[in-house]
Amino acid sequence: MNILVVNWTWYPSGGDWTYVENVVDLYTRNGHTVIPFSMKDERNFPSPYSEYFIENIDYKKINKRSLSAGIKVVAKSIYSFEAQQNLERLLNNVKIDFVHINVIHHYITPTILKIIKSRNIPVIWTLHEYTPICPESTFISHGKICERCYGGAFYNCITHTCKKGSVLASTVAALENYVHKYLNYYSYVDFYVCPSVFLYNKFKQFNFFSDKLVQLYHGYNYSEIDFALQTHVLAKERYIVFVGRLEKIKGTHTVLKAIKRCPNISLKVVGTGTQEQELKQFVLENGLQNVCFEGKKNRNETLQIIKNADFLICASEWYEVLGFTVVEAMALGKPVIGSAIGAIPEMVIDNHTGLLFEPGNDAQLSELITTLCADDDLITKLGKNARQHITTLIDNNKHYAGLQQLIPGL
């Protein structure tokens, strides 16, 4: 089969790309041909189909003085004529048997669904975020969980400036949701694949095409994990690790507040983000000698850092969909101290594969850090359970079998 895989990037860009890369490999190894449809970017992996990619949308233009440039960017982020035209050209030249959508909001946009439907091509959409039911995408408003837009009341995004605290950005986000809902593009999708039970239940709670929602955990290629486990790099010291974007919703600030109470425990922070300077300032002002910012690392470097750590902390404060960092840590045999929110408890089973704490509760987190660091036997036990649980839950064979149920002939 010829499978059109659609995603906003065709280069490593986060958890969504980890999934896209994995599913592309799955399709290819099972004898299918993958045709990508994405945005142009110098970081993209080479593809003979890149001529069909749409022009890169630069959201920075919205913040510049050129009003006309900003308006064009906003318009394209809601309704992309270019994406429709380019997809039409592609479909005229290449026979596509089915389409697999991933992250397309704000860039390629759901307007392409009408083109696909007009040709009676089956389409599935793996949900990586909450945009169809939350204009802000994360259910976070000014650092707090927010579900005010329930029932399609997207105007709340504007009145509460949920998107970046900006009236303009919030208006664009709300308008986007209203347009796509009014035009009913989402009805053109045959199945929505939900990577976690939590996400499945949340979309069902919001009455989003309940009959089309399918809960199916991601797959994962553990070859790099196995290679990392076979590679012996001795750590010079004992430490724990946080890996992720340095953003408020990831809870890095909570981790630093907790580690402040644990001066004898070393923490490595891997990643970059908009909160980086603020976090570094916190470390400086509080004289935290036990925190090391490692910056951005490549995949292999990150896996080695996690492998040599005692355990990983996942302190997210949003409805985490399914964190691949947690998957990788557990596959490396590391327990995880995770916040009890979103899909995290589906992976981190309290006192079995790790420990759970209340999101944002740095005092509770510091107690768990201290407890776990003091018990090597518990670290080993939880780590062993973690690997067994995650490799059973997140499995390529199970994922592909689930996709086969949705796409006849796959």
Side-chain angles (χ1 to χ4, degrees):
M1 299 177 71
N2 287 341
I3 304 171
L4 186 73
V5 176
V6 187
N7 194 56
W8 74 290
T9 70
W10 208 250
Y11 65 87
S13 52
D16 57 293
W17 176 257
T18 301
Y19 173 76
V20 170
E21 186 176 46
N22 186 76
V23 83
V24 165
D25 181 60
L26 262 181
Y27 288 144
T28 303
R29 285 194 286 111
N30 280 278
H32 306 294
T33 299
V34 170
I35 293 90
F37 188 66
S38 185
M39 279 199 314
K40 294 178 181 178
D41 195 290
E42 60 183 15
R43 292 165 290 184
N44 283 343
F45 290 117
S47 169
Y49 302 98
S50 60
E51 63 178 285
Y52 301 106
F53 289 9
I54 69 170
E55 292 299 321
N56 197 293
I57 296 178
D58 185 5
Y59 278 98
K60 293 179 181 178
K61 288 183 179 178
I62 295 180
N63 299 320
K64 293 181 179 179
R65 293 183 178 179
S66 175
L67 180 61
S68 61
I71 291 174
K72 288 181 180 179
V73 172
V74 168
K76 287 179 67 175
S77 74
I78 296 175
Y79 196 101
S80 177
F81 287 104
E82 180 193 7
Q84 293 180 72
Q85 293 167 354
N86 289 13
L87 182 58
E88 284 274 22
R89 287 197 300 114
L90 190 156
L91 295 178
N92 286 336
N93 296 326
V94 183
K95 179 183 180 297
I96 298 297
D97 295 297
F98 95 87
V99 179
H100 190 158
I101 306 286
N102 288 278
V103 178
I104 62 172
H105 285 104
H106 322 312
Y107 300 98
I108 299 171
T109 77
T111 55
I112 64 170
L113 295 171
K114 183 178 180 180
I115 305 300
I116 300 168
K117 184 67 174 180
S118 69
R119 297 183 181 237
N120 294 316
I121 302 173
V123 55
I124 64 173
W125 187 333
T126 295
L127 298 169
H128 298 272
E129 56 187 5
Y130 301 96
T131 304
I133 55 178
C134 170
E136 202 283 328
S137 299
T138 64
F139 281 114
I140 292 291
S141 177
H142 300 282
K144 303 292 184 181
I145 293 291
C146 167
E147 296 189 6
R148 296 187 186 95
C149 288
Y150 179 83
F154 303 129
Y155 63 84
N156 281 292
C157 182
I158 304 172
T159 57
H160 293 83
T161 60
C162 298
K163 195 80 172 180
K164 301 178 181 178
S166 162
V167 173
L168 175 58
S170 300
T171 301
V172 171
L175 181 61
E176 178 182 357
N177 274 40
Y178 276 122
V179 168
H180 295 154
K181 183 178 181 181
Y182 175 76
L183 295 175
N184 203 26
Y185 286 137
Y186 294 123
S187 66
Y188 298 150
V189 176
D190 293 286
F191 295 105
Y192 288 94
V193 179
C194 305
S196 64
V197 173
F198 181 88
L199 182 139
Y200 171 84
N201 288 334
K202 187 57 63 179
F203 272 84
K204 196 169 184 177
Q205 174 192 340
F206 274 63
N207 301 311
F208 183 85
F209 297 97
S210 298
D211 58 326
K212 296 184 177 185
L213 299 175
V214 178
Q215 200 283 304
L216 179 63
Y217 286 111
H218 287 330
Y220 188 84
N221 185 342
Y222 292 101
S223 59
E224 288 182 286
I225 297 291
D226 295 336
F227 178 78
L229 288 171
Q230 295 169 8
T231 305
H232 298 288
V233 179
L234 294 177
K236 296 180 181 178
E237 59 177 339
R238 290 187 64 171
Y239 61 88
I240 61 177
V241 65
F242 170 92
V243 178
R245 289 184 289 114
L246 304 186
E247 311 287 350
K248 178 70 166 61
I249 64 172
K250 291 295 185 178
T252 325
H253 57 293
T254 298
V255 177
L256 293 185
K257 289 178 181 177
I259 206 68
K260 180 182 176 181
R261 294 184 170 92
C262 313
N264 297 320
I265 298 173
S266 296
L267 169 72
K268 289 184 182 292
V269 178
V270 179
T272 58
T274 59
Q275 208 184 16
E276 184 173 355
Q277 290 308 313
E278 178 185 337
L279 295 170
K280 288 182 175 178
Q281 186 64 29
F282 178 89
V283 168
L284 184 65
E285 291 176 355
N286 289 275
L288 303 186
Q289 301 295 319
N290 56 335
V291 177
C292 178
F293 288 92
E294 298 287 335
K296 187 175 182 179
K297 297 292 184 181
N298 65 37
R299 190 179 186 80
N300 290 331
E301 290 172 332
T302 301
L303 291 179
Q304 284 298 329
I305 291 174
I306 296 174
K307 174 194 166 187
N308 288 326
D310 283 350
F311 55 86
L312 177 130
I313 299 176
C314 177
S316 291
E317 295 175 13
W318 74 294
Y319 291 153
E320 193 79 54
V321 175
L322 189 82
F324 275 110
T325 298
V326 173
V327 173
E328 290 165 347
M330 294 175 71
L332 286 165
K334 300 299 174 181
V336 174
I337 296 182
S339 49
I341 193 170
I344 295 173
E346 295 172 48
M347 299 179 288
V348 183
I349 301 173
D350 199 26
N351 289 307
H352 181 66
T353 66
L355 302 173
L356 291 174
F357 71 100
E358 178 187 7
N361 191 331
D362 57 278
Q364 185 184 16
L365 175 56
S366 68
E367 290 178 5
L368 295 182
I369 290 173
T370 302
T371 298
L372 193 53
C373 279
D375 195 335
D376 289 348
D377 290 339
L378 182 59
I379 290 175
T380 301
K381 176 185 174 182
L382 296 180
K384 182 179 179 180
N385 292 340
R387 177 170 170 81
Q388 182 178 14
H389 173 66
I390 208 65
T391 53
T392 300
L393 189 72
I394 310 299
D395 176 83
N396 263 346
N397 291 332
K398 289 181 179 178
H399 187 69
Y400 191 73
L403 293 175
Q404 287 179 307
Q405 295 295 313
L406 305 179
I407 305 298
L410 185 62

